[in-house]
Amino acid sequence: MLTGNAVLGVEDQAGARRLARVLLADPLAKEPPWEKQLTDADDNDGRALLLRYGEQSNIDDRHPLVRTLFLPSSVLHTHNLEIFVQALPVRAADPAEGISSLLVPSLETASSPGGRLSTVTYPVHKSLVYVNSFRYLSSLAHAVDHAMTGRELSMVKAVVDGSWNSLEPGIGQSCAISPINLNLAEVAIETLRKSLQRSIEYEHAWFDSGLPTISTWLCTGTSTAPPAIQSSLRQLISVLASDTTTAITSEEASKLQDVRTATVSASTREIIKQGITIWAENAHTELRDRLSAAFASKSWKRLAWYKLIWRVDDVSTVLLDILQKAWLVDAEKEMVWMSGRTHQSGLLGPPKLRPPPVKDPEDEEGEQKLGGQPKQLTVEDVIVKDIPPFDTEKGDEPLSLQGYPQNIAMARTQLSQITIPTLQSLAQSLMLQAISATILSTSISALIYVSISATSVYEAGVIAALGTVYSLRRLQTRWERARKEWKVTVVEEGRRILQFSEEQFREVIREGGYGKLDEIEIEERRIAREAVVRVREALEESEDVDDGDGSRKAR
């Protein structure tokens, strides 16, 4: 199985290429051409480099992001290894990025003519991070300490190139950041290639450079006779599982924080509740005082039964004027203000933008053009379409285009469209009946006076007077009863709509403003956790199998 490791240079691909050349070089052989290609100072190609084993040195330039160099290196061949060399941006060493940014290097490529970039990832089993300056050492140390614990310590190692004359043996084997002397290592290789008699000098210089431990670490876990799962691959899977668990936990914490942020505080709810109480008290007071003044006004007295013969056509005008000027006018305005406060407090959730209207293809013919003739209006253009019904049940009121509750406005419209026409019709019918009864009784009296000669005018006038009194009494009784019923209806309807509106506001306070977690996202995170658990169980089973095979081979 091929093992892919990476040598990443922090803002320095040339240093990473020098380090890869020293780790893959054979000091007992002459300098091959591929070493010169790795250290060529005139090579300005900024693409990443992939080092693979090949019998002859050649370069594959077909990939736009990665150049592949095939080289006859015994290290690559023996350990079945490939090396990915790339310059690492400083932002990738941010502790917040975690170990994934080091184990999964990214390549950026232009995806559109406008300059938009897309990211292509290149996962590896191990990453060796090269730093040639103390300027980046602080951020790299924080990133390594923040990201790696336990097994992850063997997945990433950082080396700092300096000018140390000697290093203690064994340093860097257990540390995440190791000092090296890359110049001393290159001198050691050149020394042995010049003369094999200088092998002792080579050995001292090579070990003093700190590269032996780095070479051993890079080739660890790449045995030619691997178990069911190589140790490097097992470690990579374990690291990815840990990062996945961390990402799930972080996302869940972020969602919970969003829920807490979206939840309205108890103090805000209490303030809104007090405002609604004050609004309800003022609205009931206004309903009582305004209607009392309206029913005591001259316009209402003009509709008395004995004035109905002159005001029968003004009934609808007077009643409509009372509804529009004295029936919860200020309460409706204050309701708009209370609705704004409720929206602002977050009890109704974030505001939603109204989607733009979709044009009907059939209406394209009616579109006007600059300089064209205006469209001729029809009856359908001036009437209101889709009027919401007034007999909707509680909780099913149609939504308002104005963005605030339309309970009072709809109730006023309902009263004006249902009760006023009925009262207007009753006034006209009662007036007609009274006049008809009076004319009929007068006609009977005249007929009796003409037909019966013995009947006097006073006797015949009794019938006319009786019919007139009866018709006027009937007009008085029924009309005053209708006026009284309308007054009660208007008052009770006002109280009912105020009570209903107050209950709606209080229901919003009780049930609104609580953030909710998305059930679909919760299910997705649960599935992801179960997948991570299954991966860990499979890794443990593979370790048990490998341990069993090893013990049988030992026996």
Side-chain angles (χ1 to χ4, degrees):
M1 179 180 177
L2 187 64
T3 302
N5 294 343
V7 178
L8 307 175
V10 178
E11 298 292 345
D12 181 19
Q13 186 178 6
R17 292 168 68 169
R18 288 177 56 202
L19 179 59
R21 177 244 177 184
V22 170
L23 292 173
L24 300 179
D26 186 2
L28 299 176
K30 294 182 180 180
E31 184 179 8
W34 61 267
E35 292 187 19
K36 296 181 180 179
Q37 293 175 352
L38 283 178
T39 57
D40 187 5
D42 297 332
D43 188 1
N44 296 324
D45 195 333
R47 290 180 294 173
L49 191 62
L50 182 61
L51 307 180
R52 286 181 174 176
Y53 175 76
E55 295 295 338
Q56 296 181 354
S57 299
N58 58 352
I59 300 178
D60 186 1
D61 283 335
R62 292 176 295 178
H63 199 283
L65 301 178
V66 180
R67 287 193 305 165
T68 303
L69 176 60
F70 296 92
L71 46 93
S73 171
S74 59
V75 177
L76 298 179
H77 180 64
T78 303
H79 297 282
N80 202 15
L81 188 67
E82 69 176 16
I83 304 295
F84 179 76
V85 182
Q86 184 197 16
L88 183 70
V90 178
R91 65 177 183 273
D94 188 358
E97 296 292 334
I99 195 174
S100 298
S101 61
L102 302 178
L103 288 177
V104 188
S106 59
L107 303 171
E108 292 184 348
T109 177
S111 60
S112 66
R116 183 177 299 174
L117 299 178
S118 61
T119 302
V120 179
T121 58
Y122 193 92
V124 294
H125 296 85
K126 291 182 178 180
S127 288
L128 179 63
V129 184
Y130 172 81
V131 182
N132 65 350
S133 174
F134 287 98
R135 181 174 56 180
Y136 307 121
L137 184 59
S138 177
S139 61
L140 183 62
H142 287 298
V144 173
D145 293 340
H146 182 271
M148 298 183 298
T149 56
R151 282 186 175 184
E152 299 176 2
L153 188 62
S154 62
M155 305 295 296
V156 176
K157 181 178 284 292
V159 294
V160 182
D161 188 10
S163 300
W164 294 272
N165 293 326
S166 61
L167 298 173
E168 296 181 3
I171 190 170
Q173 294 181 357
S174 60
C175 299
I177 300 180
S178 303
I180 64 171
N181 192 326
L182 192 56
N183 291 332
L184 187 59
E186 292 176 340
V187 171
I189 294 175
E190 294 299 329
T191 299
L192 186 60
R193 283 177 175 174
K194 289 179 180 179
S195 174
L196 294 178
Q197 303 298 328
R198 304 173 65 180
S199 60
I200 297 179
E201 184 180 350
Y202 157 78
E203 183 177 355
H204 284 292
W206 178 252
F207 278 95
D208 288 344
S209 67
L211 265 298
T213 56
I214 304 302
S215 178
T216 302
W217 174 84
L218 189 67
C219 298
T220 302
T222 58
S223 176
T224 55
I229 300 180
Q230 290 186 2
S231 59
S232 59
L233 181 58
R234 183 182 292 111
Q235 292 172 359
L236 177 61
I237 296 175
S238 177
V239 169
L240 294 179
S242 300
D243 284 353
T244 303
T245 303
T246 303
I248 294 173
T249 304
S250 176
E251 182 182 359
E252 189 172 30
S254 176
K255 297 297 182 182
L256 290 175
Q257 182 62 31
D258 293 341
V259 169
R260 297 190 189 99
T261 304
T263 301
V264 181
S265 62
S267 58
T268 303
R269 295 177 186 274
E270 186 64 27
I271 293 173
I272 301 297
K273 186 182 298 183
Q274 293 177 1
I276 292 174
T277 302
I278 296 174
W279 169 81
E281 293 178 356
N282 295 337
H284 282 284
T285 303
E286 178 198 358
L287 179 68
R288 180 194 62 199
D289 297 343
R290 287 285 190 89
L291 287 183
S292 297
F295 292 139
S297 63
K298 293 182 179 180
S299 60
W300 176 256
K301 293 180 179 179
R302 291 193 186 101
L303 300 182
W305 68 273
Y306 54 88
K307 296 182 181 181
L308 194 60
I309 189 172
W310 298 284
R311 302 291 183 180
V312 66
D313 293 331
D314 298 336
V315 172
S316 59
T317 304
V318 173
L319 299 183
L320 187 61
D321 187 68
I322 291 175
L323 290 179
Q324 291 180 349
K325 295 181 179 180
W327 196 78
L328 300 177
V329 178
D330 293 339
E332 183 179 8
K333 296 177 181 178
E334 292 179 2
M335 176 183 283
V336 177
W337 184 75
M338 284 301 304
S339 301
R341 290 192 62 184
T342 307
H343 277 279
Q344 183 183 14
S345 64
L347 291 172
L348 298 177
K352 297 181 180 180
L353 296 178
R354 189 181 304 166
V358 180
K359 291 185 177 181
D360 190 352
E362 298 180 356
D363 295 340
E364 293 182 355
E365 298 179 357
E367 294 183 357
Q368 299 298 320
K369 298 181 180 180
L370 186 61
Q373 295 294 330
K375 181 181 177 182
Q376 185 176 2
L377 294 178
T378 61
V379 177
E380 296 180 354
D381 296 329
V382 296
I383 64 174
V384 180
K385 301 180 181 179
D386 300 330
I387 299 177
F390 299 113
D391 55 350
T392 53
E393 298 180 359
K394 180 180 179 181
D396 297 332
E397 287 76 12
L399 294 179
S400 167
L401 296 179
Q402 284 77 12
Y404 60 88
Q406 296 289 296
N407 300 334
I408 296 179
M410 291 177 60
R412 183 185 294 111
T413 305
Q414 181 179 6
L415 287 173
S416 62
Q417 292 186 355
I418 295 179
T419 62
I420 293 180
T422 304
L423 207 60
Q424 175 72 51
S425 176
L426 178 63
Q428 292 175 347
S429 62
L430 289 178
M431 197 70 240
L432 179 61
Q433 293 173 8
I435 294 175
S436 301
T438 302
I439 293 175
L440 179 61
S441 60
T442 304
S443 301
I444 294 175
S445 297
L447 183 61
I448 293 175
Y449 178 75
V450 173
S451 301
I452 304 175
S453 58
T455 305
S456 64
V457 176
Y458 298 101
E459 293 176 348
V462 170
I463 299 177
L466 182 62
T468 301
V469 170
Y470 171 78
S471 62
L472 293 179
R473 178 58 181 173
R474 184 171 178 270
L475 172 63
Q476 177 187 13
T477 303
R478 296 192 59 181
W479 177 243
E480 292 300 329
R481 186 191 305 124
R483 284 211 309 167
K484 184 179 180 180
E485 290 177 355
W486 190 82
K487 289 172 56 177
V488 174
T489 301
V490 169
V491 173
E492 293 301 324
E493 183 66 18
R495 293 174 180 173
R496 186 195 67 82
I497 203 65
L498 289 178
Q499 182 180 2
F500 174 63
S501 300
E502 184 180 1
E503 291 177 356
Q504 276 192 327
F505 275 119
R506 296 190 182 279
E507 183 178 0
V508 169
I509 294 176
R510 289 193 304 269
E511 301 180 0
Y514 294 101
K516 295 182 180 180
L517 291 173
D518 191 348
E519 298 294 337
I520 298 179
E521 293 181 353
I522 294 176
E523 181 65 18
E524 290 177 350
R525 289 194 289 271
R526 184 189 65 80
I527 295 174
R529 284 196 180 92
E530 292 179 354
V532 172
V533 171
R534 290 196 298 269
V535 168
R536 294 188 184 278
E537 293 176 352
L539 285 178
E540 293 176 358
E541 292 177 359
S542 66
E543 289 180 356
D544 296 339
V545 172
D546 294 341
D547 293 341
D549 293 342
S551 60
R552 285 195 296 271
K553 290 181 180 180
R555 289 196 296 269

